[in-house]
Amino acid sequence: MGGRPTWLYQLSKAGKLCVPAMNVNDSVTKQKFDNLYCCRESILDGLKRTTDVMFGGKQVVVCGYGEVGKGCCAALKALGAIVYITEIDPICALQACMDGFRVVKLNEVIRQVDVVITCTGNKNVVTREHLDRMKNSCIVCNMGHSNTEIDVTSLRTPELTWERVRSQVDHVIWPDGKRVVLLAEGRLLNLSCSTVPTFVLSITATTQALALIELYNAPDGRYKQDVYLLPKKMDEYVASLHLPSFDAHLTELTDDQAKYLGLNKNGPFKPNYYR
């Protein structure tokens, strides 16, 4: 939940960052558990609570196939939805193809889809032009970043009528009677219309707390006024703290195996660039 903190990197590049900063969002524990596994559940929870829609046979376009998009698509596919993907990244696009999804441009499917979900972390992914071309009763929502992905401002014009149906659900009505169902006014669906499991909150909060402790206890000179990723050892520690919840038992490397792999028996087991 939440996108990559690009503003931090912009401040750092401009030399305007006054203190060291830890980018927790790009840590493995945040990306996999909060973004992938949590969104896999909260996308259905949010849509069911607000619209009671049945997903079997529905055509859905998911904009973005990062961790959030992967979670959303897995859940929708499991319930029998026909899922399309839009992507700018050829690697993510190829992953979507290999996972059995059609990769398209939004303009190619916008007239036929029943649900549009944004998961990119970008801005103006769904524009007024797209909204004008949607079919009646199309559901539009955002799982990506803040409230920038859907151009909601363009809908606040005299020719369009807004009708509040229930909390977090608006019908935007065109002059010809067409209605688009906008959820949470384009804000994050999973934070506005569903709940976040305490288990995932525990993982994210633990990661954030360890990042703060690392910055506070670090000796002078270890961290400069720049943006850093959480050390992989801490990522693994966060994961290990939550394994007892599943009665999971880790296998331990022998000394010979650790030497063969060039690893410490106690980790880290992945390089820092692993995501």
Side-chain angles (χ1 to χ4, degrees), residues 50-120:
T50 52
T51 67
D52 296 316
V53 65
M54 187 170 184
F55 292 101
K58 289 292 190 299
Q59 296 192 60
V60 183
V61 61
V62 177
C63 302
Y65 201 66
E67 299 298 347
V68 173
K70 287 180 174 70
C72 292
C73 291
L76 293 162
K77 183 179 182 180
L79 289 187
I82 301 163
V83 183
Y84 303 98
I85 308 294
T86 71
E87 250 303 338
I88 61 167
D89 183 335
I91 295 175
C92 291
L94 186 58
Q95 285 180 298
C97 292
M98 295 297 289
D99 287 337
F101 301 110
R102 272 201 61 202
V103 178
V104 298
K105 291 184 177 181
L106 187 55
N107 284 332
E108 296 171 0
V109 295
I110 198 63
R111 290 186 183 275
Q112 69 195 57
V113 293
D114 302 289
V115 185
V116 177
I117 303 169
T118 56
C119 309
T120 69

Side-chain angles (χ1 to χ4, degrees), residues 19-242:
V19 293
M22 195 73 77
N23 174 8
V24 173
N25 189 75
D26 286 339
S27 63
V28 174
T29 43
K30 172 69 168 64
Q31 287 283 328
K32 297 297 182 188
F33 298 96
D34 200 334
N35 294 6
L36 175 60
Y37 298 120
C38 183
C39 290
R40 188 173 66 184
E41 299 190 19
S42 61
I43 180 60
L44 301 182
D45 184 24
L47 285 169
K48 285 287 189 183
R49 285 178 191 241
T50 52
T51 67
D52 296 316
V53 65
M54 187 170 184
F55 292 101
K58 289 292 190 299
Q59 296 192 60
V60 183
V61 61
V62 177
C63 302
Y65 201 66
E67 299 298 347
V68 173
K70 287 180 174 70
C72 292
C73 291
L76 293 162
K77 183 179 182 180
L79 289 187
I82 301 163
V83 183
Y84 303 98
I85 308 294
T86 71
E87 250 303 338
I88 61 167
D89 183 335
I91 295 175
C92 291
L94 186 58
Q95 285 180 298
C97 292
M98 295 297 289
D99 287 337
F101 301 110
R102 272 201 61 202
V103 178
V104 298
K105 291 184 177 181
L106 187 55
N107 284 332
E108 296 171 0
V109 295
I110 198 63
R111 290 186 183 275
Q112 69 195 57
V113 293
D114 302 289
V115 185
V116 177
I117 303 169
T118 56
C119 309
T120 69
N122 205 341
K123 69 174 186 176
N124 297 334
V125 178
V126 175
T127 64
R128 175 60 188 268
E129 180 185 354
H130 295 127
L131 292 156
D132 285 339
R133 296 174 61 199
M134 289 176 186
K135 71 180 185 180
N136 186 50
S137 298
C138 183
I139 299 167
V140 186
C141 64
N142 170 38
M143 287 286 289
H145 179 56
S146 187
N147 60 345
T148 61
E149 301 213 22
I150 302 165
D151 187 9
V152 175
T153 304
S154 69
L155 296 176
R156 300 191 184 279
T157 55
E159 75 273 13
L160 301 182
T161 304
W162 284 61
E163 180 181 304
R164 175 55 57 95
V165 179
R166 63 171 79 165
S167 177
Q168 307 292 356
V169 182
D170 290 291
H171 283 187
V172 183
I173 308 169
W174 267 250
D176 63 359
K178 182 188 85 171
R179 292 170 180 252
V180 165
V181 183
L182 178 64
L183 303 184
E185 298 183 49
R187 297 185 300 274
L188 283 168
L189 179 76
N190 50 343
L191 297 185
S192 303
C193 307
S194 71
T195 59
V196 179
T198 54
F199 183 76
V200 170
L201 286 176
S202 174
I203 292 174
T204 301
T206 304
T207 307
Q208 292 169 339
L210 285 176
L212 288 171
I213 293 169
E214 170 65 15
L215 288 174
Y216 182 79
N217 289 336
D220 291 342
R222 175 180 291 178
Y223 297 110
K224 300 176 183 178
Q225 295 173 354
D226 203 350
V227 183
Y228 295 88
L229 293 172
L230 193 72
K232 192 58 73 261
K233 181 70 175 174
M234 290 190 183
D235 253 332
E236 294 175 357
Y237 179 59
V238 172
S240 68
L241 289 175
H242 291 82

Side-chain angles (χ1 to χ4, degrees), residues 250-263:
L250 285 174
T251 301
E252 295 183 8
L253 290 172
T254 65
D255 290 336
D256 190 45
Q257 287 173 327
K259 183 178 179 181
Y260 178 77
L261 294 173
L263 297 174

